[in-house]
Amino acid sequence: MTSTDVLVIGAGLAGLSAARDLEAGGASVTVLEARARVGGRVEQVELPDGRRVQLGGEVVGDAHTSYLGLVADLGLTLVPSYVVEPGAITRQVPEAVDVGPWPSWLTEPDIASYEHVEAALQKVVAGIDPADPFASPDLHRLDQLSVGDFLRDNGATAAVLRAFDLVHLSLADGSIERQSMFAYARKQAVGGGTAAYDVAEWENQRVAEGSATVALRMAAGLADVRLSTPVSRVRVATGGCAVTTTAGEELTADAVVLAVPAGPARDLDITGVSDERLTSLRRQRHAWAAKFVAAYDRPFWRDAGQNALAESEGVLGSTWPQQEGVLSALVPPERYAVFAATDPQTRTAEALAQAAQLYGEPALAPLQTWTRLWGTDPWTQGYVTSWRPGDVEAVGPLHGTHEPPFYVCGSDQWVAGYMEGAVRTGRAAAAAALSQR
Ligand SMILES: Cc1cc2nc3c(=O)[nH]c(=O)nc-3n(C[C@H](O)[C@H](O)[C@H](O)COP(=O)(O)OP(=O)(O)OC[C@H]3O[C@@H](n4cnc5c(N)ncnc54)[C@H](O)[C@@H]3O)c2cc1C
């Protein structure tokens, strides 16, 4: 039996940043990771020409201060993301492919309606204190409401509803009809307080060395990271915690940091923490998404004045330029079943055919493609946290809190998934655990 001060379960950005701070604070730490690699939802592969291609999380924004600080500490480089790509955005619906700021199916009255609902959204966002969301007097009403209902209540036209849903297909975090208005507004409030999803706050930067390099660099500095070691059971007690791996090994520690996504967390047999906490943890859910990436020898989309950014009602809900000549795409939850249920060769051909509808024939001839079915990966079971109407209250104020010697972190313990959530909660869990020593 191995004993250590703290056992960290999961070597994603959350578990690794918790372990890093714990070690820096003088604790002995063992990290247990199910997969044969670290990084979790950040993962990269390298092309023969040296380009590092991201198959998971990629971009961050100005509001992601914990992540940005960590990147600086690790000596890595931040560069502008796709926001500097020249050209115009493309929107694809079955009846039209439009290049330019507004799609052809949005009329002048629709644009006026869009601006009206944006102003209404802004008022809701301003009423939420991101530091204390559960104190919001309107929590119950807004959490019961879907974003779609809120928009309809504020007079959104059918085309405006469609435009909002298109954005959500592109973000792959679930339709506006299945998203809590409170969760939606809280996310904007945390990002900095504007009504719509603000790219500068959420997506304007990326790590030049590759976002998965952040995880690899943290892991390289840690004393004890055990790969291919899935955990099945956690027993928590103030006199000593015990963690059992699926291979039957038992490890003991003074404290446990749980740093796995909502789905894998539900699969664990956890005892010694309150029923309220387990109920809260297990009530979380994920939006299921897949990522499709195609690498080309050059950014051919520029030839037609396009920036490779697209929002679409097709199986690929969005595309964006990951880096020079590399096209990223997300398959949203609403399209996941049809994508995952298709043989790999056919779904690749269909994804490339959609890219060709967006950007022309050169899209059909990539150097290489990759598909990552994150939704049905046993160690992720999703993509980012999903908050359906009623979920914020059901998960409740225990969300993102700890029950020493049991600590939780991970992007699901923040407002909306994202790498910032992983790093922020990982560091907070380490600080909380160190304060108890
Ligand atoms: C396709 C995709 C695109 C994304 N794009 C962005 C983006 O552009 N910007 C952004 O900010 N965020 C993005 N995200 C979200 C972001 O990547 C994640 O929120 C973040 O990386 C999660 O980190 P984490 O440590 O909380 O969880 P994870 O990275 O999921 O790490 C959890 C770890 O726990 C391990 N584990 C699970 N179960 C067990 C077990 N039983 N025993 C031991 N180990 C276990 C897993 O293998 C994994 O390594 C994206 C995610 C995906 C999937």
Side-chain angles (χ1 to χ4, degrees), residues 111-131:
I111 293 172
S113 165
Y114 194 97
E115 282 159 3
H116 175 76
V117 296
E118 279 277 292
L121 279 168
Q122 203 148 4
K123 273 194 203 142
V124 173
V125 172
I128 295 174
D129 175 1

Side-chain angles (χ1 to χ4, degrees), residues 91 114 162-173 184 197 311-312 317-318:
R91 290 193 185 79
Y114 194 97
R162 192 179 193 186
F164 267 86
D165 226 12
L166 198 56
V167 171
H168 284 264
L169 282 170
S170 79
L171 292 173
D173 61 353
Y184 174 78
Y197 184 80
E311 296 168 359
S312 172
S318 58

Side-chain angles (χ1 to χ4, degrees), residues 329-342:
L330 281 174
V331 177
E334 290 75 11
R335 310 285 187 265
Y336 191 84
V338 72
F339 188 70
T342 304

Side-chain angles (χ1 to χ4, degrees), residues 182-430:
F182 185 84
Y184 174 78
R186 176 176 63 164
K187 179 176 164 188
Q188 316 312 329
V190 164
T194 55
Y197 184 80
D198 185 327
V199 166
E201 288 159 2
W202 292 90
E203 302 195 342
N204 66 352
Q205 299 174 61
R206 66 179 175 90
V207 173
E209 295 85 353
S211 77
T213 304
V214 176
L216 294 168
R217 197 158 286 189
M218 282 197 284
L222 294 172
D224 189 12
V225 179
R226 301 191 192 174
L227 301 178
S228 306
T229 311
V231 166
S232 56
R233 193 178 341 142
V234 181
R235 278 188 284 123
V236 179
T238 1
C241 304
V243 164
T244 311
T245 68
T246 53
E249 188 188 356
E250 189 171 280
L251 298 97
T252 59
D254 295 338
V256 170
V257 175
L258 183 68
V260 307
R266 278 196 295 269
D267 294 341
L268 292 174
D269 172 10
I270 303 174
T271 52
V273 298
S274 65
D275 288 347
E276 293 76 15
R277 176 158 309 276
L278 284 183
T279 305
S280 166
L281 266 180
R282 291 181 171 151
R283 187 59 177 72
Q284 292 192 356
R285 50 181 143 198
H286 262 206
W288 281 20
K291 185 162 175 176
F292 177 78
V293 183
Y296 299 90
D297 54 3
R298 68 185 192 90
F300 61 89
W301 45 82
R302 290 181 191 163
D303 300 349
Q306 290 168 286
N307 60 11
L309 261 187
E311 296 168 359
S312 172
E313 289 179 353
V315 170
L316 305 181
S318 58
T319 72
W320 67 96
Q322 178 180 135
Q323 55 178 296
E324 188 79 3
V326 179
L327 189 70
S328 284
L330 281 174
V331 177
E334 290 75 11
R335 310 285 187 265
Y336 191 84
V338 72
F339 188 70
T342 304
D343 80 273
Q345 209 182 338
T346 306
R347 72 175 170 235
T348 299
E350 289 175 350
L352 292 174
Q354 188 185 335
Q357 286 163 7
L358 290 164
Y359 306 120
E361 291 289 304
L364 297 173
L367 300 171
Q368 206 171 329
T369 65
W370 300 264
T371 294
R372 269 308 252 117
L373 297 174
W374 291 100
T376 35
D377 181 312
W379 305 119
T380 302
Q381 301 180 36
Y383 151 65
V384 289
T385 330
S386 157
W387 300 95
R388 291 184 64 161
D391 280 3
V392 174
E393 278 193 302
V395 171
L398 287 181
H399 181 232
T401 65
H402 312 290
E403 200 170 304
F406 179 72
Y407 300 86
V408 288
C409 61
S411 61
D412 295 325
Q413 307 310 320
W414 196 50
V415 291
Y418 289 84
M419 298 187 288
E420 169 67 12
V423 174
R424 190 181 284 234
T425 61
R427 303 197 83 165

